[in-house]
Amino acid sequence: MKLNYIQLPIKAHYFFFMAAMGPILPFLPVYGKQLGISALIMVLPGPIFPDHSINNVSCDLLSYCTPQDISKPYLCMGVKNAMCHWTCTNKNFSLLIQFQAINEEINFNSNSTCLIDKNSSYCSENNNCNVTCDKFEDSYCLYTSITFWSFVLLMSLGNIGFNVSNCMSDAICFDILGENGQMGYGRQRVWGTIGFGISAFLAGYAVDYWSKGEIIKTYTPAFLLILIFTTIDLFCCKKLDLPLMTASTNILKDVIKLLKLKSIIIFLCFATIAGILDSFIIYFLFWYLEDLAMTTNCMSKIKLIEGLIVAAETLGGEVIFFSFSGKILKKLGFGYTFTFCFICYALRLGLISLASNPWWVIPIELFMQGPTYALCYTTIVAYASKIAPPGTSATIQGIVAGMDDGFGFAIGSLIGGILYKLFGGVTTLRIFSSIAAITAFIYFILYLKYLKDMIPDTKNNIEWKTPEEAGKKCTIAES
């Protein structure tokens, strides 16, 4: 096997660049969740309190909250409100209580806990009840804290930096591959997938090990891995030997001319829908898994499960489909491949909604990440490279990334957050699955009726002839 030294630096860059993203990018939503940020708030850019169950307690030992007590949660003094459901011998009821959080625990005693609901008469006649508390209210202090706004700022800057670096890397890769080299993109990008999968798995295992089985996870190992891989990637970038490309004399004019084509507008619209689907999976898959883990007693291993899922997605499905994406595109073309990707998105989201515990999501992601994200992403960036006028590669990749990873992610995370908040994870997954299925059908019809003759071909249509045959076909200019 002959080593291509020209393409080696871009492979190394993809590997270490994505390896630097692996320890944190998949875990950002659940890291925000651990800070106490709700699903609805996460879409716009204190700790998790799992349901508490306490046995053999009585609320008649608790006093009623004073007006001064009721105002304490808004003073950010560690006091929180929660809804507690009491299961007693004679009857069941729910009461809103206020408590002082000590090591993220509720301690039922008269010094740290009081009753907010003064109209209840249940406490005087019920003893020895089992209590489950949920719906902890502490969002006011969180959303006015330095922690929250620092998280929002850093997450925004990080996403901007990642997306800019990503589309620039793709543009550089296509420039290195040369004209008509789009089908070789997947063989370069696959190294990023390998790096991402390895580092995400290492981070998941290290975070669980470092946290020693606690529900509140410590992400220090993840940040250390980011620092190591980022440093190595900087050295790899210095070795990139960029080819000299012909610059466009008027980039703006060329791009505007391209955007006037209806087929390009349709492509960008469906690329945005792909971004919508990807964003929900990226931002809410682990969120859903942690909700599922809480109900199936898997929280002690959840970071390991999440790491295994990322490893399965990347080292399994993505490696295969990035490697063979060029052959698939040559065989099916852009139109049929795009349709196939949306069908797979529908199947993937539907299967996840049926998973009975987080462990079942591992095989689903192993088989479905490749034909969804990997193949769809390759199709989008290869199409963008194919249609880009000379000298506008980076600009076109930026526009496509803006629609897919920018506008699409914004819409998807916003809609996903609202739906998740209103209907829960299972229903939201099925809604997005339906959206993917409808999109596949619409694009397939559009492709057959309108786009088939307008989309660039993925095959190498060079026709070789003998010199005599070529002479008959060609017109020779007179000197």
Side-chain angles (χ1 to χ4, degrees):
M1 182 177 178
K2 189 176 180 180
L3 185 63
N4 190 326
Y5 289 98
I6 297 175
Q7 297 175 1
L8 184 60
I10 192 67
K11 288 181 170 72
H13 164 63
Y14 272 129
F15 181 89
F16 289 108
F17 172 65
M18 295 305 295
M21 299 296 104
I24 192 61
L25 197 61
F27 304 109
L28 266 179
V30 290
Y31 182 67
K33 183 181 182 182
Q34 180 168 297
L35 294 176
I37 301 170
S38 74
L40 186 59
I41 298 298
M42 273 300 295
V43 308
L44 300 177
I48 295 175
F49 279 85
D51 293 356
H52 284 68
S53 296
I54 305 169
N55 298 325
N56 297 322
V57 296
S58 175
C59 67
D60 60 0
L61 299 176
L62 305 179
S63 60
Y64 291 111
C65 299
T66 65
Q68 291 80 7
D69 291 329
I70 293 174
S71 65
K72 283 182 179 179
Y74 300 98
L75 300 177
C76 304
M77 301 168 59
V79 176
K80 305 179 188 298
N81 297 339
M83 179 62 71
C84 290
H85 310 284
W86 302 70
T87 304
C88 306
T89 305
N90 299 327
K91 62 178 66 177
N92 302 333
F93 56 94
S94 297
L95 290 175
L96 191 62
I97 70 164
Q98 184 181 103
F99 68 96
Q100 180 77 38
I102 302 174
N103 296 325
E104 321 303 349
E105 294 289 340
I106 299 176
N107 185 15
F108 272 85
N109 62 62
S110 57
N111 295 325
S112 62
T113 310
C114 61
L115 298 171
I116 296 177
D117 187 1
K118 293 186 177 182
N119 297 322
S120 175
S121 60
Y122 295 130
C123 290
S124 60
E125 56 188 59
N126 289 282
N127 293 303
N128 299 324
C129 304
N130 296 329
V131 184
T132 301
C133 297
D134 57 17
K135 297 181 181 178
F136 298 93
E137 301 174 4
D138 62 341
S139 59
Y140 174 80
C141 294
L142 175 66
Y143 300 142
T144 57
S145 67
I146 295 176
T147 299
F148 171 73
W149 289 107
S150 298
F151 177 79
V152 170
L153 177 62
L154 292 174
M155 186 174 177
S156 300
L157 292 175
N159 277 324
I160 291 170
F162 170 71
N163 286 320
V164 170
S165 300
N166 206 30
C167 69
M168 289 298 295
S169 298
D170 289 341
I172 291 169
C173 179
F174 284 116
D175 287 346
I176 290 173
L177 291 173
E179 191 175 355
N180 297 322
Q182 291 86 3
M183 300 303 107
Y185 167 80
R187 293 193 297 274
Q188 318 308 315
R189 180 60 176 77
V190 70
W191 290 97
T193 284
I194 294 171
F196 191 91
I198 292 173
S199 65
F201 172 73
L202 290 175
Y205 177 80
V207 167
D208 260 345
Y209 179 80
W210 200 291
S211 304
K212 301 185 184 302
E214 295 292 328
I215 292 177
I216 306 300
K217 303 298 181 181
T218 302
Y219 285 86
T220 302
F223 293 116
L224 291 175
L225 287 171
I226 292 170
L227 179 62
I228 293 170
F229 288 123
T230 300
T231 303
I232 298 173
D233 184 43
L234 290 175
F235 286 101
C236 293
C237 289
K238 291 183 66 176
K239 298 295 182 181
L240 281 173
D241 187 15
L242 303 183
L244 294 175
M245 303 300 296
T246 304
S248 172
T249 56
N250 193 329
I251 293 179
L252 183 61
K253 183 179 179 181
D254 289 341
V255 171
I256 291 176
K257 183 179 179 181
L258 191 66
L259 294 178
K260 288 181 179 179
L261 299 175
K262 292 181 181 179
S263 60
I264 303 302
I265 298 299
I266 293 172
F267 162 71
L268 290 175
C269 289
F270 281 91
T272 302
I273 296 175
I276 290 172
L277 299 173
D278 274 330
S279 70
F280 179 75
I281 295 171
I282 289 172
Y283 285 113
F284 294 105
L285 175 59
F286 282 5
W287 194 294
Y288 172 71
L289 288 178
E290 298 210 354
D291 287 344
L292 188 61
M294 290 290 290
T295 61
T296 55
N297 298 319
C298 295
M299 276 303 292
S300 63
K301 298 292 183 182
I302 189 60
K303 294 305 169 192
L304 175 61
I305 295 172
E306 289 170 354
L308 287 171
I309 286 173
V310 175
E313 289 174 341
T314 52
L315 302 179
E318 285 188 25
V319 166
I320 295 172
F321 276 84
F322 269 131
S323 299
F324 291 97
S325 59
K327 293 183 179 180
I328 295 171
L329 282 170
K330 282 184 178 180
K331 186 71 175 178
L332 300 180
F334 289 115
Y336 289 123
T337 303
F338 218 15
T339 303
F340 174 71
C341 291
F342 284 119
I343 293 172
C344 291
Y345 270 116
L347 182 60
R348 177 185 180 183
L349 291 162
L351 288 173
I352 293 172
S353 72
L354 298 174
S356 57
N357 66 65
W359 291 101
W360 280 107
V361 180
I362 297 175
I364 295 172
E365 292 299 280
L366 173 65
F367 290 105
M368 300 309 300
Q369 173 77 354
T372 51
Y373 171 76
L375 188 58
C376 188
Y377 184 83
T378 303
T379 302
I380 290 172
V381 297
Y383 184 89
S385 177
K386 192 82 171 178
I387 62 174
T392 65
S393 177
T395 304
I396 297 300
Q397 290 293 344
I399 292 172
V400 172
M403 297 301 293
D404 179 6
D405 296 339
F407 189 53
F409 270 44
I411 294 175
S413 56
L414 176 63
I415 295 174
I418 294 171
L419 292 176
Y420 200 104
K421 185 75 172 178
L422 293 175
F423 303 113
V426 173
T427 302
T428 305
L429 281 164
R430 291 173 183 173
I431 291 173
F432 273 81
S433 176
S434 301
I435 292 172
I438 294 169
T439 302
F441 176 75
I442 293 174
Y443 187 82
F444 181 68
I445 298 299
L446 280 173
Y447 178 72
L448 291 180
K449 298 294 184 181
Y450 181 70
L451 298 172
K452 195 169 186 178
D453 297 327
M454 305 177 70
I455 291 180
D457 197 358
T458 57
K459 297 181 176 64
N460 187 357
N461 291 323
I462 297 175
E463 186 178 356
W464 297 98
K465 293 183 178 294
T466 63
E468 293 78 13
E469 291 173 329
K472 295 177 182 179
K473 292 279 186 180
C474 300
T475 302
I476 302 174
E478 296 181 359
S479 57

